Each structure stands twice: as C-alpha cells, then as structure tokens.
Amino acid sequence: MKNVQKYRKGYFLPPVASNRWVEKENITEPPVWCSVDLRDGNQALIIPMSLEEKLEYFQMLVDIGFKEIEVGFPAASETEYRFVRKLIEEGLIPDDVTIQVLTQARDHIIRRTFEALRGVRRAIVHLYNSTSVAQREQVFRASKEEVAMIAVRGAELVKKCAGETEGGFLFQYSPESFTGTEVEYALEVCNRVLDVWRPTADRPVIINLPSTVQMSMPHVYASQIEYMSQNLKYREHVILSLHPHNDRGTGVADAELGILAGGQRVEGTLFGNGERTGNVDIVTLALNLYSHGVDPKLNFENLPEIRRKYERLTRMRVGERQPYAGDLVFTAFSGSHQDAIAKGMKYREQHPDEPWSVPYLPIDPMDIGRQYEGDIIRINSQSGKGGVAFVLEQNYGIDLPQEMREPFGYAVKAVSDRLHKELSPEEICGIFLERYVNLKSPVEFVRYTFAGEENFATTVTVRVNGEERQFTSTGTGRLDAISNALRESLGVRFTDLQYRQHALETGSTARAISYIGVTDGDGRRVWGCGIDEDIATSSIRALFSVVNQILTGGSAPGEEGADEARSAGAAGSESLLSH
C-alpha cells in the first residue's frame, strides 16, 4: 500500500517490564460493569435517543442487572440535563443502582453537572481531560505541567462542589487518550488527582484508563494497565477501570487482558455501540465469562428481546455474525458441521449432566433465549445428511433411519442447488413427503382384510388407474402377506426388507410413522414411508410407497421437477403433519 511511511506507533510501553498478567490462565470473577450506552453510545447515534427512549433504555439496563449506569453529560444539552433530573426527581433509580455522569475539567461544566445532580442518593462524577502527546501538542498547545494542572484544578472543584451540593457522590477520573500518553506521565497525573481526592475504604475513587483510540496490540494495553495498577497511590482504595474502544477490532481482547492485568471494572456498551468502530461489547465480554462457567452477574437469558429493543431504540443493527447475538452465529450450513452438531445434541440428550461440549457450539443457545429450530442448523446446497435429518426431527419429530439419511440429504441438496436458495423446514418436510410418504401412484392402497391368524391370508384392495382391484396371498405376518400379494400380482421384485416405526406425537390419538427399506431387482436400496393413526396401516402405507418408487424408478426431487416437488410437498406438509 502507498504512504505506509507516514504511519508510526503512537503508543508508549511502561518504563519497566509489566507482564505478570501472562501467567494467569483465566478470569475467575466478573468485573464491575458500567454501561455507557446512554452517554458514550448515545452520542454516537445518528439520531440520539429522546428523553422517553432513554428512560426505556435505562430500565432495560436495570433489568439486565447493571449496577452502575452512565446516564449522560448533563452540561452537553437540555435533554441530557432533563433526563438526569427526571431520574432523580421521580425516584426512577433503584436503591442498588448508581448513576454516573460525565464532565470535562472545566469550571462551568462541573458546576452545571452538580446542578443536575442535586438530591441524588448516590452518583459517580466522572471527570476527564485529555493527556496524550497529540492532544497536548495539537489541540491544547500546552506543556505537561499545564495539562496536569487542568486535571488537578478540575479535581479540586469537583471536591468543592460535592461538599456544597445535596446528595451522595463518588469520584472518577479518566486521563482521556490514555493509550497515546506516556505511561509515566499518565501515572503522575492520576496520582496528583488522587492526592486531591484522598480515597478511603468508605469513599473509593475510580481511576478509568480509556483506550480512547486503540493504538497497539492488546498485550501492550495489558502491560500499561499492570504498570498503572502496581504504581497508583492509595491502591487499596482505588477501583481500576477499563474503557476500551474498538478501532483495531480488539476491544474485547483489550478488556479481557486488561482484567488479567489488574482491571477491576469495565465500561462498555451493549453490542459495542459507540463512536468510530465502537466501545467494547459488554454482551460478548459477559457471555465469554459465562462460557467458562463464570456467572457474569448480568442477565442475558432473553438476548433476542434485548437485541430487538436495542435496535428499535438506537436505530442501529446487530450484524449477522455479531458474537452470541447475531442471526447466524449458532447456525451451521456445512454438512460436516451439521453432522457433528446433530450427533453432539443426541449425545447431550443421553448425558444431560455432563458439562456442555457440543461441537461448534461454545454455549447452549437455549441459555440466552435462542432456539434450536431455525437457529442451529439451516439447510442449503452445502448441507449434509446429518443437518437435514436434524431439521426433520427437531421440527416435525421425524427420526429418519440412519441408512435413509444419505439419499434424502442428497435429494434436499439437489433442490437447494437447483433453486440457489436456503430451504426452510417446511420446504424440507415437503420434499420428504413428496418423495417418500403415502405414495399413491401408480398403485394406491385402499384397504386390507385378513382371513385368519394361522398363515395370515390377506386380501388387499388397491386402486390402479382409478380402477379397484384385489390381490390375495399369505405370509408369516401381515406385512409379509401383503408384500407377497404385491410381488405376485404386480411382478415387482425386492428383498432385504428393513422396517422401523415410531410415534409422531404422544397421547391416545398419536399418529405413527413407519419406514421401510428394500433392495429392488436392480440392487438399488429403495425407501418408503407411511403415516397413519393406526400403526399397522402406517407400515402398509410405507410398503406401498416403496413399491411405487420401484415401479416408477424412484426419481428424486431436484433431478427433475424440483419446483413442483417443493411446492406440492410443502403444501402437503401442512395437511399431513398438522394435527
């Protein structure tokens, strides 16, 4: 690429090695979560939320379980100010929730912020000023000492206003653009702020270290965090907070490694909304912990509903591949993946008390409100026999014999490939019914009678070209007797009959489905199915389906007439499988 010489690293390593975090294997407890959706997220929206929308979003965050929520920048606009006042005056803040507000280190903004907070039970006042080399040189044109004094004077005024304002206050400081600041200098500024606020066990101070713009690989951010954690004054009374953005696409990694390095708190947004490429995605972070058996203390058990509300209120869209929440993140189209998932789900049914380990599924989709039907396995021309069989069983209770799955899988793939589209469960079931179930042409089953139990003498009535005919024969059982009648009367040849059946529903009126496979005179394996409320009749219908396939050559949908098979079969699924 051109112009590569214009770029250089803009970050700073700590003055000493700070990499003990690499010795830790995992995060064992969740951090303190602070949602900044209503401030950092809201300011990044094309159309910021109205007061009513912010109230609804605030309640959603409370319901999820956030105990700290940054509700706005009260000095930035009248809507922001009114929102904070409404929360306080109407008692809308639960007792166990602390709101947070943002203020620049400027006198009139700090004073306006405290006006908005009058009477609050408990609030975090979040003070910030930018400290990076680029900001000092290009924006403020100020020295290190001058920039440090902006932070110190701001901290002094925050402390003064807190003493003069009715309410309960905690303090937070952010050296904004921390990742572009010399680490020793960031430490100096934070410690000078801490000297003003003098944190105690009863009144801890939050030091928030934002990756305002990502400038490095995640391990560098972790080393910066570890150095700060080890060298901050009053450390036992300081809550070290992380605020990663996602410019390099590694916001989640920054946060996870930052927690290993000493971070105790994370500020982020649902689904990563925020300026440029966004803030760190708290949904992903929390569910990553959940996937390792750590309770994140946030409730995402109905993630689809949270997503719908988020999209409605922010007018943003969650991408199809967004971790955990995207439409396709639990979906397999690949045949080998589908087969492994289907077998894993069957294993899970047989071993429900074992830890979750289904192939290709990091967590159980049901735990976050997703569904197996339509979420896990979807069918197109890349799919395989396992996925097709899984869709039939999950949606319709049709448990195909193992030997039948491969030919049916190829039939479905052929239709998908011909139509160049994904097939719905209804369409897949339609193909199954059209190809295999209760086939009536050229020979339609009408009824049967037995003369006795000794040799199972049978008379079977059929309809051929609209004309009823009767065939008779004997056998070792009812199905064998009817098989012999069809062989003798129609001249069809088949051997190696394989039979299986199961109920489609439960209860006294449950219907049965029967599967019959035979080897025809040309050595082909042919399958047919029957569905009926009477189990014996379902097996006879399956036998007639097999015979009709042999008589017609068993052409598969997708080879000829794919559109017709699909539409006719889908219509048939509504009547034959509805109950």
Side-chain angles (χ1 to χ4, degrees):
M1 291 181 64
K2 297 179 180 178
N3 300 323
V4 67
Q5 70 279 357
K6 72 194 284 186
Y7 298 103
R8 59 175 177 78
K9 71 173 189 175
Y11 60 87
F12 300 88
L13 287 167
V16 296
S18 301
N19 54 15
R20 284 188 290 182
W21 57 268
V22 301
E23 300 171 2
K24 300 177 182 178
E25 178 184 351
N26 211 343
I27 300 168
T28 57
E29 291 188 4
V32 175
W33 303 108
C34 178
S35 161
V36 295
D37 290 79
L38 295 172
R39 196 276 306 169
D40 208 346
N42 187 57
Q43 75 179 20
L45 299 177
I46 297 173
I47 303 174
M49 286 182 272
S50 67
L51 190 147
E52 291 73 20
E53 288 171 331
K54 291 190 76 170
L55 284 171
E56 185 177 355
Y57 204 107
F58 177 81
Q59 186 57 53
M60 177 176 69
L61 295 172
V62 170
D63 293 341
I64 290 170
F66 285 96
K67 303 304 179 186
E68 295 184 6
I69 301 172
E70 189 166 83
V71 295
F73 195 145
S77 72
E78 185 62 23
T79 298
E80 297 280 285
Y81 184 92
R82 287 173 52 223
F83 177 57
V84 176
R85 291 310 307 157
K86 187 174 183 68
L87 290 174
I88 296 169
E89 292 171 359
E90 298 186 14
L92 301 177
I93 307 168
D95 290 343
D96 61 346
V97 172
T98 301
I99 64 168
Q100 177 172 302
V101 294
L102 186 69
T103 177
Q104 291 176 329
R106 299 172 66 184
D107 287 13
H108 70 285
I109 293 178
I110 292 171
R111 295 183 189 279
R112 179 66 168 167
T113 299
F114 276 94
E115 288 177 16
L117 290 173
R118 287 190 320 274
V120 71
R121 182 190 57 81
R122 180 181 170 94
I124 298 167
V125 179
H126 181 186
L127 175 75
Y128 78 95
N129 69 300
S130 194
T131 58
S132 69
V133 174
Q135 293 270 6
R136 295 195 316 259
E137 292 178 351
Q138 300 173 37
V139 179
F140 304 123
R141 298 182 181 273
S143 67
K144 285 184 174 181
E145 178 60 22
E146 289 171 324
V147 168
M149 285 307 299
I150 293 174
V152 170
R153 286 193 294 267
E156 291 171 343
L157 183 56
V158 164
K159 184 176 181 179
K160 179 177 183 294
C161 289
E164 298 171 349
T165 306
E166 176 191 358
F169 304 102
L170 296 174
F171 303 146
Q172 172 173 325
Y173 174 70
S174 290
E176 196 219 347
S177 62
F178 165 74
T179 45
T181 304
E182 306 91 333
V183 184
E184 309 97 300
Y185 176 61
L187 176 68
E188 176 193 338
V189 175
C190 289
N191 279 335
R192 289 173 69 171
V193 169
L194 289 171
D195 281 337
V196 174
W197 286 341
R198 301 271 175 183
T200 64
D202 294 333
R203 293 179 60 84
V205 166
I206 301 167
I207 293 295
N208 186 58
L209 302 176
S211 174
T212 307
V213 177
Q214 282 189 321
M215 295 181 172
S216 69
M217 294 175 67
H219 73 285
V220 172
Y221 183 64
S223 294
Q224 293 167 337
I225 298 302
E226 183 173 283
Y227 177 81
M228 295 291 287
S229 177
Q230 292 173 342
N231 292 281
L232 282 169
K233 298 174 73 172
Y234 314 96
R235 183 64 183 90
E236 68 275 20
H237 304 316
V238 169
I239 299 169
L240 187 57
S241 179
L242 313 175
H243 184 111
H245 279 245
N246 200 41
D247 300 89
R248 293 170 55 92
T250 58
V252 169
D254 277 2
E256 290 182 331
L257 298 188
I259 292 170
L260 292 180
Q264 300 158 286
R265 179 179 184 268
V266 172
E267 294 186 346
T269 59
L270 300 181
F271 310 113
N273 178 39
E275 291 184 293
R276 305 182 309 279
T277 51
N279 289 278
V280 68
D281 178 1
I282 286 183
V283 175
T284 299
L285 274 173
L287 292 178
N288 282 355
L289 288 175
Y290 182 73
S291 73
H292 286 172
V294 177
D295 184 355
K297 306 299 184 183
L298 295 175
N299 186 348
F300 294 117
E301 292 176 7
N302 193 356
L303 190 56
E305 176 58 28
I306 292 171
R307 172 187 162 176
R308 284 190 289 271
K309 189 172 291 187
Y310 163 85
E311 291 184 327
R312 174 171 57 83
L313 294 174
T314 66
R315 303 165 186 86
M316 301 286 287
R317 188 178 68 83
V318 174
E320 287 86 349
R321 300 294 180 183
Q322 180 92 358
Y324 301 107
D327 286 339
L328 300 178
V329 295
F330 293 109
T331 302
F333 291 102
S334 159
S336 60
H337 287 202
Q338 291 176 343
D339 186 60
I341 290 171
K343 290 174 179 175
M345 295 297 290
K346 184 66 69 174
Y347 181 89
R348 181 73 185 169
E349 291 177 9
Q350 299 165 352
H351 304 84
D353 296 327
E354 290 190 9
W356 179 265
S357 62
V358 175
Y360 301 112
L361 297 179
I363 66 171
D364 185 347
M366 294 283 284
D367 288 339
I368 57 173
R370 304 292 294 267
Q371 301 299 317
Y372 294 148
E373 298 88 350
D375 265 346
I376 296 182
I377 289 177
R378 290 164 59 175
I379 304 303
N380 62 18
S381 60
Q382 305 301 308
S383 304
K385 61 182 181 180
V388 171
F390 180 86
V391 168
L392 279 184
E393 184 171 6
Q394 287 293 312
N395 289 275
Y396 300 102
I398 298 171
D399 185 11
L400 296 181
Q402 287 294 330
E403 289 185 32
M404 190 178 181
R405 297 183 177 194
E406 184 169 4
F408 180 57
Y410 280 119
V412 171
K413 288 175 61 172
V415 173
S416 176
D417 193 38
R418 179 184 176 88
L419 300 177
H420 199 62
K421 58 167 285 187
E422 176 189 353
L423 297 181
S424 69
E426 292 80 8
E427 290 171 317
I428 294 165
C429 185
I431 296 169
F432 173 71
L433 296 175
E434 177 73 13
R435 178 177 173 84
Y436 292 110
V437 180
N438 293 2
L439 302 185
K440 300 177 180 179
S441 179
V443 182
E444 180 181 359
F445 168 70
V446 177
R447 59 184 172 272
Y448 68 94
T449 59
F450 287 100
E453 299 291 335
E454 184 173 335
N455 61 359
F456 289 94
T458 185
T459 298
V460 58
T461 302
V462 304
R463 187 176 291 114
V464 181
N465 296 324
E467 179 185 346
E468 285 197 2
R469 299 169 57 183
Q470 291 186 334
F471 303 151
T472 60
S473 189
T474 60
T476 58
R478 296 185 180 188
L479 193 61
D480 184 54
I482 295 177
S483 297
N484 291 335
L486 295 177
R487 285 190 185 96
E488 295 162 5
S489 301
L490 296 174
V492 292
R493 294 181 299 150
F494 57 86
T495 57
D496 305 323
L497 188 146
Q498 178 181 342
Y499 170 70
R500 179 168 169 263
Q501 62 82 28
H502 64 81
L504 277 176
E505 303 100 2
T506 59
S508 59
T509 60
R511 292 168 301 162
I513 182 169
S514 297
Y515 312 87
I516 288 181
V518 301
T519 302
D520 71 5
D522 297 324
R524 295 187 314 151
R525 194 66 180 163
V526 182
W527 287 89
C529 299
I531 295 177
D532 199 275
E533 292 184 0
D534 177 70
I535 189 171
T537 303
S538 76
S539 65
I540 295 169
R541 293 191 183 280
L543 179 61
F544 269 78
S545 296
V546 166
V547 169
N548 280 319
Q549 290 228 53
I550 295 173
L551 292 173
T552 59
S555 63
E559 297 168 359
E560 297 293 341
D563 295 310
E564 293 80 0
R566 179 178 59 83
S567 59
S573 69
E574 296 180 4
S575 59
L576 188 58
L577 290 178
S578 61
H579 196 59

